[in-house]
Amino acid sequence: MNTPNIHPTPHDADASSMPRLIVIGNGMVGHYFLEQLVEHGVHKRLAITVFGEERHRAYDRVHLSEYFSGRDAEALSLGDADFCARHGIALHLGEHVLSIDRHAQTVTTERGDHAYDRLVLATGSYPFVPQIPTVDDGTGHAGLVYRTLDDLDRIREAAAGVAESDQRRGVVIGGGLLGLEAANALTSLGLEAHVVEFAPRLMPVQLDDEGGRALKRQIEALGVHVHVDHATTEITRGERHRYCMHFRDHEPLETDLIVFSAGIRPQDRLARESGLTLGERGGIVIDDTCVTSDPSIYAIGECALWSGRLFGLVAPGYTMARTVAGSLAGLEGASFTGADMSTKLKLLGVDVGSIGDAHATTEGAVSYRYIDEANHGYRRLVVSADGRTAIGAVLVGDNRYYDTLLQYVQNGIALPEDPASLILPHSEGAPTLGADALPETAMICSCHNVTKGAVCQAVEGGCGDLGTLKAETRASTGCGGCTALLKQVFEHELESRGIEVDRSLCEHFAYTRQELYGLIRVEGIKSFEALHSRHGKGELGCDICKPAVASILASCWNAPITDPSLVPLQDTNDTFMANMQKNGTYSVVPRIPGGEITPDKLIAIGAVAKKYALYTKITGGQRIDLFGAELQDLPEIWRELIEAGFETGHAYGKSTRTVKSCVGNTWCRYGVQDSVAMALTIENRYKGLRSPHKLKFAVSGCTRECAEAQSKDVGVIATEHGWNLYVCGNGGMRPRHAELFATDLDDATLLRLIDRFLMFYIRTADRLQRTSVWRENLEGGLDYLKDVIINDSLGLCEALERQMQHVVDQYECEWANALKDPDKLKRFRTFVNDQRRDPDIIAVSERDQPRPARPEEIAALTVEVTS
Amino acid sequence: MSTLTAHHATITLCHRRDLVAHSGVVAWHDGHQIALFYLPGQPRDTDVPDRSEALYAVDNHDPFSGANVIGRGIVGNVGGERVVASPIYKQHFRLRDGVCLEDSEQPLTVWPVRFDGDAVVLETKTSEETK
């Protein structure tokens, strides 16, 4: 071979002399490949350069449709933004590779030539667009595709251009996996979605006729129109909509935009032009080590053709990436020998699963079928001719059967006497294969190639919680389809080792917050002492359990937090009903519901601030924060604020903070509802509600979303027909877009759903867990939450509403309560035996307002006084 | 007010009614700020003699934030030790000797206090004059 040694010894590893590795493509597989290189330390021995033709760094294409339901490009990105920089990998985004010169071992991009010693093609695939005569209106809205973020931007643009008064409509050509995802995306944009499929059924690759039929009915029930057996012949100008599609043997269909999702083709242009061997119908031919016909060039992912097969799923691409990374690292035996194409997905909320030989093409294969016409469910089990092993399955409507069936198929586990029992309905779902029945080699996570053996090993090595297990093994961090199975195996392994997972709140309570909540509510416990004596350990409690219990007591019974038995439990902020600042003074935040305030009240705040020399600042939640209040002044400050009509703003509590709002249709020419009135209703209903962590709300009067509702725990956005409800958003350190929870709600239904949602969160969240983190840890995810809150699947909703009503009825302004009671006010003395103020609180003036003096300023002042 | 004994002078800081059960208050003493913690009904701490009821006094000054806030912290146990948690950066200080569990080089000064009837008294240093 005329290439240099690719494994130099570490001591001669100097960047300029290092062998050069070029990677073309920064998609999911390309990125995973880089991660694998770093894992093996290859980045320290090779100078790695990556070219990606998209302007975005690698992102999660599997969840692309979420781009329209709350996740932006950054949220979809894979790995940290500085991953490449941190590991010395040169990443060139938005740079097209024009050609490869295999003889000179260089690649040419738009910006120059780059030499390589090894080259990896991870170029993926491109959408196939069939030739259909189409009217040219210069917009391209009849020829959209669905693969990249830029494609999605174009779809959004096309949808936005349609006059809003009409019912906007979009068509997807292609009823495969991606086509249905695209239809989902159109639905998220508010379009009436149609799917046009050439074949007689949906998902022809994965499903059989009966499965396709069941899926079609389920999807139609969700409002997506499905047209199978439709061959598009021509696209002309439409009358009611932009375009009119014509079909062989069917009525035409008008639409405003057309997205092609009729399959993908391997992106093999560079390989073709540089003379690498390709398959008859495209695809770069590779061997078991992913080497192409040129020994210096590898191909991985959707562009690679192995044994005459292309692999359009991410898991086989990852296996190829591991193979190449392994051989570059000098590991023996890394190889790609085909991949299981089983898939489990949720399309438009409908479960679909396809395992192994779903079409029963194996000779002598026998099928069992279960058809539920009432609920459009379908399950098929394919077994070998001798009836001993399962070889394939199709599932529509219920994927709870998937994990077990997959294990039977993958591990050749002997079938039960009546194989049909595996797909027949049981009161508790499928008979699950116990985790101990799985062999060590059983694949748990196929995205990251994690076997049961690897999980056992991690547990053996001391891994004691699911989060650590995921971080260590990477299991369940790809598509996430194996989450439930992973948990089951993990817990079984822990149990079999006699390990109990310690989820105690602290050394005083061997319970989780959720369990303590249950005890307090069921036993009607009203004080920390009662809870501690019945269920606690140790002597006093601590600064973890005391505030946590105080919060639960408040959420359940809502007694004034200034009651003597509750006072010692509170953090200083709750005790003094103000927010302690770094110099021991407090900030004071009166409630300004919805951010609406009269001039008189503004003047009153100004007068108080002036009188007590407070620094004032507008908060992000549309209120005014007054800083620098000394402990002993708090009661007088509040007496004056309450006289002016204010209430406490609970800025100090883990509780309802603010409901931010835009000005709504009262003033705004775009507004469609009265967002301020709704914000007031919400804030006045939930003010004083204590919860595991703070709660922020917002109400926007139209889709322009000026109140930023999608970054709140509860966000409400007006529609022409009512309100859309978003939940579990977060700003702050780990921003998270809120998710659309329910649409077009009337006022009463909106409040009812928020009641239930908040109380369910309060019941089940951990201590100091925001709704965003709670939601991410919620097993079953958003669908489960919807089931509980909207469909009342746990039969809890009536109780949740009742509890919320109790809290609402018990509301009293805590400051008003405290001011009535001289005993409670005794706490606001700086010194119990002296009238003086804290002499160490010193303020200086900056930009015409007070601020705490810095240590060096205080030192200077002291010198002045003493000298 | 002060009383004389053979070996100790005491100064009354405040009274039982000024204390807040299971929590803290602050007394001023000759330029010092003393945080007082009162745990009624708790057995007395055996390491500290002459203490009929659990009453502790430590500096109100928090060495980590530089603010006078210790008296506003939460009282509890960590590993069986009675502690107060700073309300600013949450370090734990042992009530009996002021040692900070997170950083033993930043202890709080401990003040010798006890109940004398309903009075909370501080024992001051013995001096020739008070003998």
Side-chain angles (χ1 to χ4, degrees):
Chain A
M1 218 193 295
N2 58 359
T3 48
N5 177 13
I6 200 86
H7 308 298
T9 46
H11 64 260
D12 61 24
D14 142 33
S16 55
S17 68
M18 283 202 282
R20 291 148 302 190
L21 171 69
I22 289 181
V23 182
I24 304 179
N26 189 229
M28 293 182 80
V29 171
H31 176 76
Y32 181 80
F33 174 61
L34 299 179
E35 287 186 340
Q36 289 297 306
L37 291 179
V38 167
E39 196 148 295
H40 291 302
V42 177
H43 63 298
K44 294 178 187 153
R45 300 199 308 257
L46 299 182
I48 304 172
T49 305
V50 183
F51 297 101
E53 72 176 6
E54 290 187 57
R55 60 198 167 89
H56 300 283
R57 66 190 169 89
Y59 54 84
D60 183 356
R61 230 185 275 284
V62 175
H63 294 103
L64 205 55
S65 68
E66 293 175 17
Y67 189 53
F68 288 155
S69 56
R71 283 175 82 183
D72 59 8
E74 189 53 37
L76 285 166
S77 297
L78 299 172
D80 304 331
D82 65 344
F83 171 83
C84 284
R86 208 168 61 235
H87 296 105
I89 297 170
L91 174 64
H92 300 260
L93 292 177
E95 188 164 347
H96 293 251
V97 175
L98 303 176
S99 62
I100 301 167
D101 183 338
R102 294 203 287 125
H103 184 72
Q105 299 209 164
T106 58
V107 303
T108 303
T109 74
E110 295 155 316
R111 293 182 205 142
D113 291 348
H114 302 263
Y116 68 83
D117 297 299
R118 287 287 188 279
L119 177 63
V120 174
L121 301 173
T123 47
S125 50
Y126 63 91
F128 167 64
V129 179
Q131 294 294 319
I132 297 171
T134 303
V135 57
D136 183 9
D137 63 356
T139 64
H141 296 337
L144 298 161
V145 294
Y146 179 85
R147 177 163 180 89
T148 67
L149 287 172
D150 286 344
D151 292 338
L152 264 67
D153 284 336
R154 277 189 280 271
I155 293 173
R156 174 152 39 200
E157 215 173 279
V162 184
E164 300 214 9
S165 52
D166 302 329
Q167 176 52 53
R168 300 178 297 166
R169 185 185 284 175
V171 168
V172 177
I173 296 187
L177 195 160
L178 276 175
L180 295 177
E181 276 286 324
N184 188 21
L186 295 186
T187 311
S188 303
L189 286 174
L191 267 64
E192 176 189 305
H194 290 250
V195 173
V196 169
E197 167 60 44
F198 177 77
R201 63 169 183 269
L202 291 174
M203 297 188 70
V205 180
Q206 292 89 354
L207 298 184
D208 58 4
D209 279 340
E210 201 63 52
R213 207 160 17 240
L215 179 61
K216 176 172 184 281
R217 291 205 191 99
Q218 289 222 19
I219 286 178
E220 282 175 338
L222 294 168
V224 174
H225 303 257
V226 179
H227 313 269
V228 293
D229 222 351
H230 271 53
T232 313
T233 52
E234 195 187 358
I235 298 163
T236 60
R237 204 174 285 280
E239 283 174 17
R240 287 203 56 234
H241 298 274
R242 284 184 188 139
Y243 306 107
C244 181
M245 301 174 66
H246 301 270
F247 307 104
R248 196 183 305 139
D249 308 329
H250 288 283
E251 289 297 305
L253 173 68
E254 295 219 350
T255 180
D256 294 304
L257 59 89
I258 301 170
V259 180
F260 283 89
S261 187
I264 53 172
R265 296 289 181 268
Q267 182 54 273
D268 52 13
R269 181 187 60 83
L270 288 170
R272 183 187 311 273
E273 289 170 6
S274 59
L276 290 176
T277 306
L278 301 186
E280 265 176 44
R281 289 188 292 165
I284 308 163
V285 172
I286 56 167
D287 65 11
D288 288 358
T289 55
C290 300
V291 173
T292 65
S293 55
D294 180 330
S296 305
I297 304 180
Y298 301 86
I300 57 176
E302 292 179 345
C303 64
L305 183 76
W306 176 86
S307 195
R309 291 173 67 195
L310 292 162
F311 298 86
L313 294 177
V314 74
Y318 284 179
T319 308
M320 295 181 202
R322 276 194 298 274
T323 303
V324 177
S327 50
L328 289 176
L331 302 179
E332 295 291 318
S335 70
F336 178 78
T337 52
D340 178 43
M341 295 297 277
S342 301
T343 38
K344 168 166 96 167
L345 346 126
K346 198 177 265 295
L347 289 166
L348 294 140
V350 180
D351 281 345
V352 177
S354 173
I355 297 171
D357 185 6
H359 296 290
T361 53
T362 309
E363 201 177 333
V366 178
S367 291
Y368 296 83
R369 286 190 167 95
Y370 171 78
I371 302 172
D372 173 359
E373 289 190 350
N375 300 304
H376 313 311
Y378 175 67
R379 295 190 281 280
R380 175 186 191 175
L381 172 67
V382 184
V383 306
S384 58
D386 60 7
R388 288 205 184 141
T389 51
I391 56 174
V394 176
L395 298 172
V396 174
D398 191 346
N399 268 347
R400 283 178 299 171
Y401 298 79
Y402 183 90
D403 290 341
T404 298
L405 290 171
L406 182 70
Q407 294 303 333
Y408 270 102
V409 172
Q410 284 190 340
N411 298 301
I413 298 169
L415 284 167
E417 201 166 323
D418 177 13
S421 67
L422 291 175
I423 56 166
L424 287 177
H426 294 255
S427 50
E428 302 258 311
T432 45
L433 200 54
D436 53 343
L438 298 176
E440 290 284 296
T441 52
M443 186 61 70
I444 305 297
C445 170
S446 48
C447 290
H448 292 290
N449 199 25
V450 183
T451 60
K452 179 185 169 190
V455 173
C456 298
Q457 222 174 348
V459 174
E460 197 66 51
C463 179
D465 69 274
L466 205 54
T468 316
L469 178 73
K470 286 183 181 178
E472 258 179 39
T473 63
R474 306 198 66 195
S476 197
T477 60
C479 72
C482 62
T483 312
L485 180 65
L486 180 70
K487 183 163 183 275
Q488 199 192 336
V489 170
F490 175 63
E491 285 176 355
H492 175 267
E493 287 309 308
L494 284 183
E495 266 168 40
S496 69
R497 286 167 173 75
I499 299 170
E500 250 180 73
V501 189
D502 185 12
R503 298 181 61 213
S504 303
L505 188 68
C506 65
E507 65 188 72
H508 303 103
F509 290 98
Y511 298 96
T512 62
R513 181 196 173 275
Q514 188 176 349
E515 288 164 340
L516 287 179
Y517 179 96
L519 291 171
I520 286 172
R521 185 163 278 291
V522 171
E523 300 181 17
I525 292 173
K526 302 262 165 53
S527 72
F528 181 83
E529 285 70 32
L531 181 72
H532 186 242
S533 66
R534 280 192 223 172
H535 302 289
K537 292 184 291 201
E539 185 193 31
L540 296 174
C542 66
D543 56 320
I544 292 172
C545 59
K546 281 178 165 183
V549 170
S551 162
I552 299 174
L553 291 172
S555 293
C556 287
W557 320 120
N558 209 15
I561 58 162
T562 47
D563 281 1
S565 73
L566 300 176
V567 160
L569 308 181
Q570 317 287 348
D571 269 322
T572 186
N573 287 355
D574 271 319
T575 308
F576 299 102
M577 297 179 288
N579 292 44
M580 185 182 273
Q581 303 299 323
K582 62 195 274 190
N583 65 344
T585 64
Y586 290 89
S587 82
V588 170
V589 187
R591 187 168 293 287
I592 301 178
E596 185 184 76
I597 186 165
T598 62
D600 280 341
K601 281 189 164 178
L602 272 177
I603 290 167
I605 287 185
V608 167
K610 208 162 176 178
K611 178 169 172 187
Y612 295 94
L614 305 177
Y615 167 85
T616 55
K617 189 168 191 314
I618 311 287
T619 71
Q622 302 185 331
R623 330 202 260 192
I624 300 171
D625 209 339
L626 312 170
F627 289 81
E630 291 185 41
L631 183 62
Q632 65 210 58
D633 292 334
L634 287 173
E636 277 314 304
I637 288 173
W638 270 105
R639 208 183 297 282
E640 290 174 34
L641 287 171
I642 285 170
E643 254 166 46
F646 286 103
E647 293 181 310
T648 182
H650 295 97
Y652 43 82
K654 305 297 178 216
S655 55
T656 298
R657 295 287 174 86
T658 71
V659 184
K660 188 174 178 177
S661 71
C662 69
V663 78
N665 67 356
T666 317
W667 292 90
C668 175
R669 63 206 153 110
Y670 300 114
V672 293
Q673 303 283 353
D674 188 350
S675 47
V676 177
M678 180 50 77
L680 287 167
T681 305
I682 292 176
E683 186 151 350
N684 284 320
R685 181 165 182 79
Y686 303 113
K687 65 187 176 189
L689 173 68
R690 285 193 149 71
S691 50
H693 212 306
K694 61 188 168 190
L695 290 168
K696 295 184 175 186
F697 302 68
V699 183
S700 278
C702 78
T703 55
R704 283 176 176 74
E705 241 284 69
C706 297
E708 298 168 329
Q710 288 170 95
S711 63
K712 306 297 184 209
D713 297 281
V714 174
V716 177
I717 301 178
T719 70
E720 278 175 31
H721 313 290
W723 307 98
N724 282 354
L725 173 61
Y726 290 76
V727 296
C728 303
N730 197 3
M733 188 162 66
R734 272 191 59 206
R736 179 180 196 274
H737 264 291
E739 291 161 308
L740 182 59
F741 192 71
T743 55
D744 291 334
L745 304 169
D746 59 49
D747 291 10
T749 312
L750 174 68
L751 291 177
R752 197 160 58 236
L753 291 187
I754 300 176
D755 273 7
R756 295 174 181 178
F757 167 76
L758 291 175
M759 262 304 158
F760 187 61
Y761 161 64
I762 288 169
R763 268 196 181 205
T764 57
D766 274 339
R767 170 184 164 266
L768 300 185
Q769 191 176 44
R770 288 291 295 268
T771 58
S772 56
V773 179
W774 169 71
R775 156 70 187 82
E776 271 163 20
N777 287 324
L778 202 61
E779 227 171 278
L782 187 67
D783 290 323
Y784 170 73
L785 193 58
K786 282 183 181 171
D787 242 21
V788 173
I789 303 300
I790 299 174
N791 306 328
D792 199 11
S793 61
L794 299 180
L796 272 180
C797 289
E798 202 242 312
L800 296 174
E801 287 173 35
R802 205 174 50 236
Q803 286 162 22
M804 183 60 82
Q805 196 55 49
H806 176 78
V807 170
V808 171
D809 294 341
Q810 289 294 112
Y811 171 78
E812 182 188 8
C813 169
E814 290 156 3
W815 263 109
N817 173 288
L819 289 174
K820 283 185 284 192
D821 186 341
D823 266 350
K824 289 177 177 173
L825 294 179
K826 272 171 63 184
R827 291 230 63 192
F828 293 88
R829 293 182 292 181
T830 299
F831 303 110
V832 288
N833 59 348
D834 201 300
Q835 295 292 314
R836 77 181 73 209
R837 292 169 175 272
D838 182 347
D840 295 338
I841 295 175
I842 297 168
V844 296
S845 178
E846 187 173 273
R847 296 186 296 276
D848 301 325
Q849 292 215 69
R851 69 153 168 83
R854 301 190 187 101
E856 65 272 18
E857 291 167 337
I858 292 172
L861 282 172
T862 323
V863 171
E864 249 169 59
V865 173
T866 51
S867 61
Chain B
M1 172 179 104
S2 67
T3 43
L4 300 181
T5 65
H7 301 289
H8 293 101
T10 61
I11 290 175
T12 299
L13 289 175
C14 60
H15 293 86
R16 196 186 298 266
R17 63 175 181 274
D18 295 317
L19 302 174
V20 178
H22 303 291
S23 188
V25 298
V26 181
W28 176 267
H29 167 65
D30 192 20
H32 296 282
Q33 300 189 18
I34 302 175
L36 297 166
F37 298 95
Y38 174 41
L39 308 175
Q42 297 297 336
R44 62 184 172 160
D45 203 322
T46 48
D47 287 358
V48 183
D50 298 334
R51 210 158 272 181
S52 55
E53 277 181 88
L55 175 68
Y56 297 92
V58 297
D59 264 351
N60 189 38
H61 185 79
D62 173 9
F64 295 94
S65 66
N68 300 322
V69 293
I70 294 296
R72 289 175 256 168
I74 294 183
V75 178
N77 314 115
V78 170
E81 295 279 1
R82 291 176 188 171
V83 297
V84 57
S86 160
I88 296 207
Y89 298 120
K90 316 293 178 191
Q91 289 89 355
H92 299 89
F93 298 92
R94 212 147 57 194
L95 288 172
R96 65 180 166 84
D97 60 6
V99 166
C100 173
L101 302 186
E102 286 82 9
D103 180 354
S104 58
E105 295 188 356
Q106 301 268 23
L108 300 178
T109 303
V110 179
W111 298 79
V113 289
R114 60 178 168 82
F115 283 113
D116 182 1
D118 264 352
V120 175
V121 297
L122 173 69
E123 291 167 356
T124 58
K125 278 179 193 154
T126 310
S127 66
E128 293 305 314
E129 288 79 13
T130 56
K131 250 182 195 172

